[in-house]
Amino acid sequence: LVLDRDLELVPTSTCPSFQTLQKSGIDGAVIVTTPQEVALADVRKEINFCRRIGVKVVGVVENMSGFVCPECAHVTNIFHPSSGGAQPMCDEFKVPFLGKIPLDPVLTRACDAGPIVRVSASRGHDLAGSQTCSPR
């Protein structure tokens, strides 16, 4: 999959979005959301919009999906996913769920440093967990 265009479209402005998408020649859309229901409501509109104009939804990514403690790697859901977050919504709309990106200080530092970094799940994130942080 090669991403050669980055179009950011605001859900409430579908007329300019439609014209932009018609002219762009894109093959599909990757939709990024946060776990809150208000954001997911916009994503539902965007999925329906893409379907209406014939743009394939490649999938949905849930950004800011919990905060990873830099001391113990425990994940705390800062933005409460009251309806379960992006994954159940993707199941409902039959679009691929591409994954969750937590607020992770290690990842943030790597991005700020600039080199390409391979990120793995080896830190043992449990995004559904609710344990309290216990620093080392």
Side-chain angles (χ1 to χ4, degrees), residues 105-127:
V106 172
L107 179 60
T108 302
R109 282 193 298 275
C111 290
D112 287 346
I116 297 173
V117 178
R118 180 173 180 260
V119 179
S120 73
S122 64
R123 291 183 65 190
H125 302 323
D126 175 13
L127 294 173

Side-chain angles (χ1 to χ4, degrees), residues 59-80:
V60 176
V61 175
E62 187 177 276
N63 195 19
M64 296 191 282
S65 186
F67 170 76
V68 180
C69 173
E71 298 297 324
C72 70
H74 170 73
V75 177
T76 301
N77 289 322
I78 296 173
F79 303 111
H80 181 67

Side-chain angles (χ1 to χ4, degrees), residues 49-60:
F49 173 71
C50 287
R51 287 177 173 165
R52 201 167 49 249
I53 64 169
V55 172
K56 177 185 176 185
V57 176
V58 176
V60 176

Side-chain angles (χ1 to χ4, degrees), residues 3-25:
L3 301 176
D4 63 357
R5 292 183 187 101
D6 181 12
L7 298 173
E8 186 171 337
L9 305 175
V10 180
T12 57
S13 61
T14 54
C15 290
S17 299
F18 178 72
Q19 292 170 358
T20 302
L21 284 174
Q22 279 185 317
K23 294 176 185 175
S24 72

Side-chain angles (χ1 to χ4, degrees), residues 25-67:
I26 66 169
D27 296 318
V30 174
I31 301 173
V32 180
T33 187
T34 55
Q36 311 95 306
E37 183 54 39
V38 68
L40 294 172
D42 282 341
V43 169
R44 288 180 185 94
K45 292 176 190 175
E46 287 301 318
I47 291 170
N48 287 328
F49 173 71
C50 287
R51 287 177 173 165
R52 201 167 49 249
I53 64 169
V55 172
K56 177 185 176 185
V57 176
V58 176
V60 176
V61 175
E62 187 177 276
N63 195 19
M64 296 191 282
S65 186
F67 170 76

